[in-house]
Amino acid sequence: MLNPCDAAFIADLAARLPEGTLRPPEPRDLTEPRGRWPGRAGVVARPAGTDQVAQIVRACAAARVGIVPRGGGTGLVGGQVMPEGPLPLVLSLDRMTGLRGLWPEENVIAVEAGLTLAAVQQAAADAGRLFPLSLASEGTATIGGNLATNAGGTAVLRYGTTRDLCLGVEAVLADGSVVHGLKRLRKDNTGYDLRHLLIGSEGSLGILTAATLRLFPQPAATVVALLAVPSPAVAQRLLALCEARLSGLVTAFELIARTGFDFLAETGSGLRAPFDPAPDWCVLLELGLPAALDPQVSMAALYDEASETGLVLDGVIATSQAQAAALWALREAIPEANRRIGSISSHDISLPLGAIPGFLAEAGARIAALGPLRLNCFGHLGDGNLHYNVFPAKGRRREDDEALAGPVKRLVHDLVQAAGGSISAEHGIGRFKAADLERYADPARLAAMRALKAALDPAGILNPGAVLRG
Amino acid sequence: MLNPCDAAFIADLAARLPEGTLRPPEPRDLTEPRGRWPGRAGVVARPAGTDQVAQIVRACAAARVGIVPRGGGTGLVGGQVMPEGPLPLVLSLDRMTGLRGLWPEENVIAVEAGLTLAAVQQAAADAGRLFPLSLASEGTATIGGNLATNAGGTAVLRYGTTRDLCLGVEAVLADGSVVHGLKRLRKDNTGYDLRHLLIGSEGSLGILTAATLRLFPQPAATVVALLAVPSPAVAQRLLALCEARLSGLVTAFELIARTGFDFLAETGSGLRAPFDPAPDWCVLLELGLPAALDPQVSMAALYDEASETGLVLDGVIATSQAQAAALWALREAIPEANRRIGSISSHDISLPLGAIPGFLAEAGARIAALGPLRLNCFGHLGDGNLHYNVFPAKGRRREDDEALAGPVKRLVHDLVQAAGGSISAEHGIGRFKAADLERYADPARLAAMRALKAALDPAGILNPGAVLRG
């Protein structure tokens, strides 16, 4: 159905675009972080503006050439690489890095898709504001990619996912038409919410070229603590206590398993838990407080109440920015340690909060029955979002237990499904999970998704094979 | 294209449903609050559950009979009445009032579409939780209608619109298939967000039958003040101060013009401003605070700082629940006073916050040039959402100035459009604003909306003529 992005197409397109807009693919255009799936491209297009994006999409539509949009390339589900099918055009947004506008008094910023998340955060900070989206790859990931995947991260509990932070989008649809939707409005009930349909569609329904985003006042003070807790179930009661005492002011509530600290030691990270021995479970808690609340007093009051009721066993409260950064460094180093150890199967799941203890007990027992495997379960407990990763026993390599990858994934996802959870909480579907989506999605919803894809991209040129397989 | 809901169709459908599911239409099934558009129906269907909804939709799809879904019937844009076209079936959700589940420790509730908003609030309160959606018609409006229209209300500033409060939906699509999406998840990135597409689609893409909703801890204390401000522009600076001092804790920030107090007096409401004379502009401010912040001290500190910097001219801080309720009663009585005075044209607009002062100056001057009209501008200033209503001079009736209705509306909406605003901030499009949507919507977005409608409801049976005209 699609045609390859061949020399004739490229020559024809090049003649219509400013010189330098197209170039041959380089390795950096074709990779994904796990290094498992090879990307391919006939050419890389680097439009300098939305009009050029539209021109490229129109040409691809006319020739039925597939388009793989590319931001920072940090996505974890292969949405940015197309290993199969007719050779696509890779559409890089890396030249679209304009700041379209900044209205500090409105708490709004308008940015182009190719800006890195860190650059958006910095632009907000320079204006005395906070753009709260925060995730490990923020120095490389682009805001366009964050929007396309509805990225999560560590501040969702307080500020929401990327979609919650977006007021409007500018996008190029599959026919090359441009949706001019950079509204700076908190409320707009004029028909179907195309913004929310495009956000999280991973480039398969339209190309996001710019967005208006919500900013927030910076909290007067933040305070961070690392708290040892008896179990994830008790950690959830601790969260309920935090929310009861400081509703709306809890920024992050991250779970860390002892395995995380073990992996930091095993991989020579130089980082270690501030407890010896490391507890089975810790929570990294961050509060963002108004000036009227003293951060140390507020955190100490929470700590005391939690200690007295047995919700916390031990704890460290950071008393400086440096200490706070050091506690966060522990949390943020875990994904890299995981990568070095090499997981058999990793899972980005979410569960109803009440289902988490039962899931952990059941999944842990079933995985133990498969062999002497190691679990590293960590992540955004406040959102019910766990990164539940399974590793070989110490001394063994991923390759040694490769045969268990399928059974482990199936077991985890089946339990998640049975508990009313999600097999992709924050990473998306991309190509790695497209078959899983077919297995687990509600049939009526899946049929509706196919109808929406056919309606907005009838030739199937937008990120072919991502989210939905052909 | 559609067929009427005639006797043969009704007889056939009745034979397949439990007795009592269908009944002839009564006046209450066919009204809208402004009393301007007459509804019509061949029959009213009152399904007792989602399966019956699906059965009715399948029958209508097979016979190509239009369906007008009906909740509390309080919508202000005629989404619930179909005055033209082949006689439809009215699908009332009034028997679907089940509480499907309540998980206080997860801050989640699952409710059927026909529950009133007040009943949902009460169920949450009974469990010690807050469901923050709040609007004047909450005793009659149903949560299904709130979701279908993405209702706004007075707590959007802190808690978001209805869509922000919804975790998942159960819905019947136009082919009678059922989307089982009652997830209790904060994060779920498994493909296109059908939930957000159905929310705000006003029953034209699917029938919402149930939803999972976010609950919140109840604030330890709330405190309300009515503050006289020099102008809406200064009111916005006051909001910025509130957010800087108490980010995340400002629940409501409502603008009231002196005209509002005049109308309360003129209509014999018995309510009056706690200032004499009433100031040109007031703000109703509500804070929801954690236990560690004293409500009176916190509000007084804000008031003092605002007074010293000229942001506030005068003010009343409620010192009891009764006083707080009395201040809210002023705000909430304004729509009814407006109704009694009788507007020539009323507008539910939103604007970028920075554009509001300029809009008010320009629109006010242009309307004054049309004749001796009166303006009542009030509403959710914190969201940039104003109810900007235009009335005849004192002593004249709406009918006397009917000829100005068209020009006034056009003038207001043109200025809103030029300022990057929305012609429907929280009420939706329905049938009253379908032509306005065609005039003002971005063409590419409108074309995409038509494609989405054709994809999900190819025969056009779902709320025909609402949002999109045929």
Side-chain angles (χ1 to χ4, degrees):
Chain A
M1 192 153 129
L2 293 178
N3 296 313
C5 178
D6 60 18
F9 173 78
I10 296 167
D12 189 53
L13 183 58
R16 289 183 274 163
L17 290 166
E19 206 174 307
T21 306
L22 303 185
R23 64 162 171 72
E26 299 170 7
R28 65 188 163 109
D29 305 311
L30 305 175
T31 54
E32 52 81 22
R34 297 207 165 122
R36 298 196 196 167
W37 285 32
R40 297 141 59 246
V43 74
V44 175
R46 302 174 64 230
T50 304
D51 288 351
Q52 289 179 14
V53 175
Q55 206 175 347
I56 293 162
V57 172
R58 276 196 300 274
C60 289
R64 302 178 84 90
V65 166
I67 300 169
V68 176
R70 192 171 178 96
T74 58
L76 293 169
V77 290
Q80 73 280 60
V81 287
M82 183 176 159
E84 294 173 350
L87 209 58
L89 173 147
V90 164
L91 182 71
S92 170
L93 282 302
D94 68 344
R95 289 172 68 197
M96 291 189 60
T97 56
L99 178 65
R100 294 270 186 98
L102 177 58
W103 299 266
E105 72 289 351
E106 292 184 14
N107 282 309
V108 177
I109 192 170
V111 295
E112 291 189 345
L115 266 182
T116 64
L117 173 52
V120 178
Q121 293 167 343
Q122 190 60 51
D126 290 346
R129 291 295 182 275
L130 173 71
F131 182 64
L133 185 67
S134 178
L135 35 86
S137 61
E138 61 199 23
T140 308
T142 62
I143 190 66
N146 298 148
L147 287 157
T149 57
N150 186 33
T154 53
V156 171
L157 184 62
R158 177 160 180 176
Y159 297 102
T161 60
T162 305
R163 77 168 64 253
D164 300 311
L165 302 174
C166 179
L167 297 173
V169 296
E170 177 187 270
V172 177
L173 301 183
D175 62 358
S177 64
V178 179
V179 175
H180 298 281
L182 293 184
K183 299 263 185 183
R184 287 146 50 200
L185 306 175
R186 256 63 182 176
K187 291 163 102 176
D188 181 20
N189 275 354
T190 52
Y192 310 152
D193 202 318
L194 195 59
R195 164 192 52 153
H196 277 307
L197 187 59
L198 293 173
I199 294 172
S201 72
E202 307 183 36
S204 71
L205 297 179
I207 313 281
L208 298 170
T209 52
T212 41
L213 304 168
R214 297 179 67 184
L215 302 178
F216 295 81
Q218 290 173 326
T222 59
V223 54
V224 176
L226 187 70
L227 306 172
V229 293
S231 68
V234 174
Q236 291 183 290
R237 289 170 50 205
L238 173 62
L239 175 61
L241 174 70
C242 296
E243 290 284 358
R245 295 294 172 265
L246 294 168
S247 178
L249 303 173
V250 183
T251 306
F253 195 85
E254 298 283 308
L255 184 71
I256 303 175
R258 196 189 51 209
T259 318
F261 296 117
D262 293 346
F263 283 10
L264 291 177
E266 195 173 326
T267 56
S269 71
L271 298 170
R272 49 194 299 272
F275 310 104
D276 192 15
D280 282 350
W281 297 99
C282 281
V283 162
L284 185 74
L285 169 66
E286 180 172 307
L287 308 174
L289 298 170
L293 288 175
D294 180 89
Q296 293 297 319
V297 170
S298 301
M299 185 64 93
L302 268 184
Y303 181 82
D304 290 346
E305 186 173 357
S307 289
E308 282 159 21
T309 50
L311 302 184
V312 161
L313 303 173
D314 197 354
V316 174
I317 301 176
T319 57
S320 67
Q321 289 287 46
Q323 286 180 14
L327 293 180
W328 268 112
L330 289 169
R331 163 64 183 86
E332 287 175 345
I334 291 173
E336 175 61 17
N338 284 344
R339 207 185 58 75
R340 291 184 183 214
I341 300 282
S343 74
I344 296 170
S345 185
S346 55
H347 315 93
D348 164 39
I349 59 175
S350 67
L351 291 157
L353 295 177
I356 289 177
F359 167 83
L360 290 177
E362 181 80 14
R366 292 209 197 175
I367 288 169
L370 290 178
L373 301 170
R374 293 190 292 177
L375 290 171
N376 191 10
C377 172
F378 67 104
H380 321 297
L381 184 64
D383 313 315
N385 175 195
L386 300 174
H387 298 301
Y388 189 86
N389 297 356
V390 181
F391 298 82
K394 196 165 179 180
R396 290 174 67 87
R397 294 164 311 150
R398 171 167 63 201
E399 295 74 12
D400 302 332
D401 289 320
E402 195 98 56
L404 292 176
V408 165
K409 186 177 84 165
R410 182 69 183 273
L411 180 167
V412 171
H413 284 177
D414 282 357
L415 285 175
V416 165
Q417 175 86 349
S422 169
I423 60 159
S424 185
E426 61 174 6
H427 294 165
I429 296 297
R431 292 178 179 82
F432 296 174
K433 290 190 178 177
D436 297 322
L437 178 69
E438 288 170 15
R439 174 184 297 273
Y440 294 107
D442 177 77
R445 177 167 167 259
L446 193 59
M449 283 176 58
R450 292 191 196 285
L452 296 171
K453 171 73 174 176
L456 292 187
D457 180 20
I461 63 168
L462 294 178
N463 216 0
V467 186
L468 294 170
R469 298 197 291 191
Chain B
M1 190 153 131
L2 292 178
N3 297 315
C5 178
D6 60 18
F9 173 78
I10 295 166
D12 189 53
L13 183 59
R16 287 183 274 163
L17 290 166
E19 206 176 307
T21 306
L22 304 184
R23 65 163 170 72
E26 298 170 7
R28 65 186 163 110
D29 305 311
L30 305 173
T31 54
E32 52 82 21
R34 297 206 164 121
R36 299 193 194 168
W37 285 31
R40 297 142 59 247
V43 74
V44 174
R46 302 174 63 230
T50 303
D51 288 351
Q52 289 179 16
V53 175
Q55 206 176 346
I56 293 162
V57 172
R58 276 196 300 273
C60 289
R64 301 178 84 90
V65 165
I67 300 169
V68 176
R70 192 171 180 97
T74 58
L76 293 168
V77 290
Q80 73 282 61
V81 287
M82 182 177 160
E84 294 174 350
L87 208 59
L89 173 148
V90 164
L91 181 72
S92 170
L93 281 300
D94 68 345
R95 290 172 68 198
M96 290 188 61
T97 56
L99 177 64
R100 295 271 187 96
L102 177 57
W103 299 266
E105 72 290 351
E106 291 184 14
N107 283 308
V108 177
I109 192 171
V111 295
E112 291 189 344
L115 266 183
T116 64
L117 173 52
V120 178
Q121 293 167 343
Q122 190 59 52
D126 290 346
R129 293 294 183 272
L130 173 71
F131 182 64
L133 185 67
S134 177
L135 35 87
S137 61
E138 61 200 23
T140 309
T142 61
I143 189 66
N146 298 149
L147 287 159
T149 58
N150 186 31
T154 53
V156 171
L157 184 61
R158 177 161 178 174
Y159 297 103
T161 61
T162 305
R163 77 166 65 253
D164 300 310
L165 301 174
C166 179
L167 296 174
V169 296
E170 178 189 89
V172 177
L173 302 183
D175 62 359
S177 64
V178 180
V179 175
H180 298 282
L182 294 184
K183 299 262 186 185
R184 286 143 55 197
L185 306 175
R186 258 61 183 177
K187 292 163 102 177
D188 180 19
N189 275 354
T190 52
Y192 310 154
D193 202 318
L194 194 61
R195 163 192 55 155
H196 277 307
L197 186 60
L198 294 173
I199 294 172
S201 73
E202 306 182 37
S204 71
L205 297 179
I207 314 282
L208 297 171
T209 51
T212 40
L213 304 168
R214 296 178 67 182
L215 303 178
F216 295 83
Q218 290 173 326
T222 60
V223 54
V224 176
L226 188 70
L227 305 172
V229 293
S231 68
V234 175
Q236 291 182 290
R237 290 170 49 206
L238 173 62
L239 175 61
L241 175 69
C242 296
E243 290 284 357
R245 295 293 172 268
L246 294 168
S247 178
L249 303 173
V250 183
T251 306
F253 196 86
E254 297 284 306
L255 184 71
I256 303 175
R258 196 189 52 211
T259 319
F261 296 116
D262 294 346
F263 283 10
L264 291 177
E266 196 172 327
T267 56
S269 71
L271 298 170
R272 49 195 299 271
F275 310 105
D276 191 15
D280 283 349
W281 298 99
C282 280
V283 162
L284 184 73
L285 170 66
E286 180 172 309
L287 308 175
L289 299 171
L293 288 174
D294 180 272
Q296 294 296 320
V297 170
S298 301
M299 185 64 93
L302 266 184
Y303 180 83
D304 289 346
E305 185 173 358
S307 289
E308 282 160 20
T309 49
L311 303 184
V312 161
L313 303 172
D314 198 352
V316 174
I317 301 176
T319 56
S320 68
Q321 289 287 47
Q323 286 181 14
L327 293 179
W328 268 112
L330 290 168
R331 163 64 184 85
E332 288 177 344
I334 291 174
E336 175 60 18
N338 284 344
R339 209 185 56 76
R340 291 184 183 213
I341 301 281
S343 75
I344 296 169
S345 186
S346 55
H347 315 93
D348 164 38
I349 61 176
S350 66
L351 291 155
L353 295 177
I356 289 177
F359 167 84
L360 290 176
E362 181 80 14
R366 292 209 197 174
I367 287 169
L370 290 179
L373 301 171
R374 292 190 292 177
L375 290 171
N376 191 10
C377 172
F378 68 106
H380 320 297
L381 185 63
D383 313 316
N385 175 196
L386 300 174
H387 298 300
Y388 190 85
N389 297 357
V390 181
F391 297 83
K394 196 165 178 178
R396 289 173 68 87
R397 292 162 312 153
R398 170 167 65 200
E399 296 74 13
D400 302 333
D401 289 319
E402 195 98 57
L404 291 177
V408 164
K409 185 177 85 164
R410 182 68 183 272
L411 179 169
V412 171
H413 283 178
D414 281 358
L415 285 175
V416 166
Q417 175 85 351
S422 169
I423 61 160
S424 185
E426 61 175 5
H427 294 166
I429 296 298
R431 292 178 179 83
F432 296 174
K433 290 191 176 176
D436 297 323
L437 178 70
E438 288 171 15
R439 174 185 295 276
Y440 294 107
D442 177 77
R445 178 168 166 258
L446 193 59
M449 282 176 57
R450 291 191 196 286
L452 295 172
K453 172 73 173 174
L456 291 187
D457 180 20
I461 62 169
L462 293 178
N463 216 359
V467 186
L468 294 170
R469 298 197 291 192

